[in-house]
Amino acid sequence: AEQQKAIAAGRWDQRFREQEMAAEQEYQQELARVREAARQLKVALEYQAAALVVEYNARKSQEELNYRIYEAEIREWEEFQRMSPGQIQNAEERLQAQLAYARDRDSASWRRLD
């Protein structure tokens, strides 16, 4: 009777050890899945953060450029307000000449490409 009791207890111990090992293995697998999911999420967040930094810097640069253009236009407008009619006519003629030169140069460039 004692021997059968010992054999039964040994079998139960064996089953408990098997269940414990199976539970430990399942735990380790789940832990590995969670760590992999966390790693993938971290990579995705780092990529998103980098993209947002690039977007922020681009917008900041554009805003600075827009402000410089605005300041230049304000200065130009203020200078224009101080000009006499003759100076305005002269400035318009120079601008038209510059535009004509740029058009001629661009059309010559296109002819060379053909």
Side-chain angles (χ1 to χ4, degrees):
E2 281 299 316
Q3 187 177 9
Q4 286 180 343
K5 192 176 181 183
I7 291 171
R11 286 182 186 155
W12 280 108
D13 284 344
Q14 180 67 25
R15 284 186 193 155
F16 286 140
R17 279 193 294 272
E18 288 171 0
Q19 288 177 348
E20 183 180 16
M21 286 175 34
E24 179 65 25
Q25 184 178 9
E26 185 179 333
Y27 167 78
Q28 292 299 330
Q29 289 171 346
E30 188 63 29
L31 184 60
R33 282 192 290 273
V34 168
R35 285 182 176 157
E36 177 60 20
R39 185 195 65 77
Q40 289 177 0
L41 183 59
K42 181 181 176 185
V43 168
L45 288 174
E46 287 172 349
Y47 176 79
Q48 185 181 19
L52 288 171
V53 167
V54 168
E55 181 182 349
Y56 170 81
N57 288 332
R59 287 182 182 206
K60 182 179 175 185
S61 296
Q62 185 63 49
E63 184 178 337
E64 290 171 0
L65 177 62
N66 290 345
Y67 188 74
R68 287 184 190 143
I69 291 170
Y70 166 77
E71 287 178 326
E73 289 174 347
I74 291 294
R75 282 192 304 274
E76 185 179 311
W77 180 82
E78 288 171 346
E79 289 173 12
F80 182 77
Q81 295 300 311
R82 290 190 291 266
M83 294 175 105
S84 69
Q87 290 173 317
I88 292 172
Q89 179 67 32
N90 187 15
E92 287 176 353
E93 289 170 0
R94 281 185 292 153
L95 179 60
Q96 291 301 322
Q98 289 173 348
L99 290 172
Y101 173 75
R103 265 193 314 272
D104 292 344
R105 190 185 66 210
D106 287 346
S107 64
S109 297
W110 283 109
R111 281 190 296 252
R112 274 186 264 133
L113 293 175
D114 293 335

